[in-house]
Amino acid sequence: WGGGALGQARVTGADGRLQVDYDRFVRNLGESTLQVRFPPGSAHEGSIRLSLSQDYLADNEVMATTPDPMSVTAEGDRLVYEFGVRGDGPLTVTFDLRPNSGLGVLEATVGGTSAKPVRIRQLVYP
């Protein structure tokens, strides 16, 4: 169930401005990683905003976010993380997560400042 070709998934936004790598299958109370990549040219006024569904984050304990965000704010049904970037470079954000929802399916919408959002689905097993 862990790692490998079947366990890993990658989804790219329709406009190519956002790429998300995640585990398709996660163990309840285990460890999981969600990685979001923005290509060069994604920054707006020196920062990139990344949004994640609040429901998804409520079903996961966020163990770490790398790099540290400048701010985190609630906007409707999502949390928006703002990251500073130097120049016009790329940004990769890694969330170390611990699913705590019990058995079932987790769904999330991941978006960004200049990126069309994508949806992910994960199966949580005991």
Side-chain angles (χ1 to χ4, degrees), residues 66-123:
T66 308
D68 290 327
M70 295 188 312
S71 66
V72 181
T73 56
E75 291 185 9
D77 63 348
R78 59 198 168 122
L79 286 182
V80 178
Y81 294 76
E82 186 168 359
F83 298 91
V85 293
R86 293 186 182 183
D88 205 20
L91 175 68
T92 299
V93 178
T94 302
F95 292 91
D96 294 321
L97 305 170
R98 177 171 288 145
N100 58 17
S101 64
L103 183 65
V105 175
L106 296 179
E107 295 182 327
T109 300
V110 183
T113 304
S114 61
K116 295 202 183 258
V118 298
R119 292 195 52 82
I120 66 167
R121 292 183 65 164
Q122 295 176 303
L123 175 65

Side-chain angles (χ1 to χ4, degrees), residues 34-58:
L34 178 77
Q35 193 167 66
V36 183
R37 291 184 178 92
F38 294 91
S42 298
H44 178 67
E45 296 182 5
S47 69
I48 292 177
R49 291 168 41 102
L50 181 154
S51 64
L52 275 169
S53 307
Q54 280 193 43
D55 288 345
Y56 178 77
L57 292 169

Side-chain angles (χ1 to χ4, degrees), residues 21-23 26-35 52 56-65 81 94-100 106 108 120 122:
D21 292 307
Y22 63 99
D23 299 311
V26 295
R27 183 178 296 279
N28 189 52
L29 301 177
E31 295 179 7
S32 177
T33 300
L34 178 77
Q35 193 167 66
L52 275 169
Y56 178 77
L57 292 169
D59 289 334
N60 283 281
E61 179 181 352
V62 179
M63 306 299 290
T65 304
Y81 294 76
T94 302
F95 292 91
D96 294 321
L97 305 170
R98 177 171 288 145
N100 58 17
L106 296 179
I120 66 167
Q122 295 176 303

